Structure formats: C-alpha cells, structure tokens
Amino acid sequence: MTPLDSAAMRKRQAWAERSGTRTYIAEMGRYALARDEANVRSLLGRGPGRLLDLPCGTGRFLETAKALGFTVTAADYSPTMLSVARQHAGVEFVVADAFDPPFAPETFDAILVMRLLFHYANPEAIVSALARCLKPGGRMVFDTLNCFSTRWLASRVIQAFRRDPSRRLYFETRTSMQRKIERAGLRVTATRTAYLLPTRAYRGLPRAVTRPIDLFEQLTPPPMRVMTYWQVEKPR
C-alpha cells in the first residue's frame, strides 16, 4: 500500500465519518445523475461477471450494475455510506479501503470507481491497487476532472481563499492520466467527456436552460469539458 500524506489521510477520514449521507445524491441533482448513469452504463457493458463498485457511496449505481447482469460487490471506506447503500438487495457489502482493497488478485471482471480519483494527488496508487483485483481482460471504469475546464478555473479561485489541503481537488490532462494508467499495467479502451459547467451548477437549472448549454458543450473541445470517463482494460 502506498503511504498516504496527511492531507489524504484527513480527507479519507472525513469521508468515513461524514454525516448526512442521505443528502449526498440530492447535492448532485438529477441532471448529473442521469448523465453519469448513461456514461457508466455505456462503458461498463454487460455481464455476466463479478463487479466491484468502490467506493459505492450510497449505492447509486448498484441497480444499474445488477440490471447489466453483474454479480455485485459494493465497498466503501465509510460505514455511514454503506448503511444507506444496504437498502439495495442482492448485493454483497464490504468495508474497504481503495488504497488497500481486501480482495484476492484477479477476483473481478469489472470495477467501477466513481467520484474518487480526483480527491487524491496520487490516483495511480488507487488504480494500481484495484488493477490487481481485476481479471485479465477485465475492465475498470472511472472518472477524472479535466485541466482547463470551468471546474478547474473555479477550483483555482476557491483554493485562493480556502487553504485546507484536505478539500483540494486534483485535475488531469488526457496525457497525464493515460501515462498513469499505463504504469498501472492497464490500457485505455474508450473515453467519454461531459459537462460544460461544474456538475452542481446544473442542479437548479431548468431544462430550458440546460438544452442550449448542452448544444454549446458539443462545440467545446473535449479537454475543456469538466469530466472524462475512462474505460480501461487489463491485458490478457
């Protein structure tokens, strides 16, 4: 396991102890939830096979994974998050650390890692740790935040006033993240990009406003969109 710096340790513990987990989904809004769902569904593909959702959070992708035909293990470092996720039936639940996952090598056919990597300065450590749990030919799906997007600009302004390193977000270019993926022994097989605005900005916008934003997003170069969804594969 890669040693964590103090900021990463504080951040991980804060998530583990987070209260008010039932509001977590509401904070994102229906628009972002629907777009995430569509991209995850597309990149995961169909089962059968064993799928690990880590961190599963409150379980927003568990029904999707089951509907795709996977046998699902849901894991999270936060017992409070898992307490909400346990409402989903037919799923195995495990308290687990993404930096040191407690699973045997080559256990899973697919691994889903959403809204996690950009919270840490060394996402490669998580990708490498989880890659060991992936079967040859298996795929991993995760998301990263893009440099030079509106979210990146907003983060730079926020960081000027908020000095707490445990709340910092980390951004990647396609080239920087692809190198980390390759060092983890994986290869990129597909990507999607989304969002002209930070995801929470869409929460209160009416559909009449989001439609022209979507049209303008299509004209925006992919690296300038907020998020990249990655599908990567472990070579056979």
Side-chain angles (χ1 to χ4, degrees):
M1 175 179 173
T2 302
L4 301 180
D5 61 28
S6 59
M9 291 179 67
R10 290 199 302 272
K11 180 176 288 189
R12 187 177 62 168
Q13 196 59 35
W15 277 104
E17 298 172 353
R18 178 171 176 165
S19 59
T21 52
R22 292 184 184 276
T23 68
Y24 177 66
I25 295 300
E27 289 174 2
M28 293 188 62
R30 292 182 179 178
Y31 179 89
L33 290 172
R35 293 201 71 177
D36 281 357
E37 167 95 12
N39 281 296
V40 165
R41 182 179 287 271
S42 172
L43 293 173
L44 275 181
R46 298 199 64 85
R50 293 192 64 186
L51 178 140
L52 171 65
D53 184 354
L54 173 62
C56 68
T58 55
R60 66 186 177 111
F61 293 115
L62 298 183
E63 295 304 319
T64 297
K66 290 194 296 180
L68 290 171
F70 290 102
T71 300
V72 182
T73 297
D76 204 286
Y77 192 68
S78 167
T80 52
M81 288 284 187
L82 283 173
S83 70
V84 180
R86 289 181 191 278
Q87 65 184 302
H88 297 273
V91 176
E92 177 189 17
F93 292 95
V94 179
V95 176
D97 183 355
F99 287 94
D100 189 20
F103 306 106
E106 302 183 3
T107 297
F108 298 100
D109 300 277
I111 298 177
L112 180 62
V113 190
M114 291 294 290
R115 296 297 193 272
L116 178 67
L117 297 185
F118 51 73
H119 286 288
Y120 296 97
N122 186 14
E124 184 182 345
I126 296 174
V127 173
S128 296
L130 291 173
R132 291 192 290 272
C133 307
L134 196 61
K135 294 180 181 178
R139 58 195 175 275
M140 188 185 304
V141 174
F142 54 81
D143 54 354
T144 59
L145 291 174
N146 295 329
C147 288
F148 314 120
S149 65
T150 55
R151 187 66 184 87
W152 174 78
L153 291 171
S155 181
R156 289 175 68 87
V157 172
I158 292 169
Q159 283 300 124
F161 298 95
R162 186 173 65 195
R163 301 292 184 176
D164 182 1
S166 69
R167 301 186 68 181
R168 180 179 176 182
L169 298 177
Y170 297 89
F171 297 79
E172 300 283 349
T173 65
R174 180 182 176 88
T175 300
S176 68
M177 193 64 211
Q178 185 154 345
R179 287 173 179 165
K180 293 172 183 178
I181 290 166
E182 291 171 353
R183 286 198 295 265
L186 304 170
R187 64 184 183 92
V188 178
T189 47
T191 60
R192 305 278 191 277
T193 56
Y195 304 117
L196 183 64
L197 303 176
T199 54
R200 291 188 183 184
Y202 292 90
R203 182 175 50 185
L205 295 179
R207 183 172 296 182
V209 176
T210 58
R211 284 178 176 173
I213 291 175
D214 285 348
L215 291 174
F216 190 69
E217 178 186 309
Q218 294 175 26
L219 302 175
T220 304
M224 296 180 66
R225 298 171 192 169
V226 169
M227 186 165 288
T228 296
Y229 303 85
W230 301 79
Q231 180 197 74
V232 302
E233 185 179 82
K234 186 173 187 176
R236 296 182 184 276

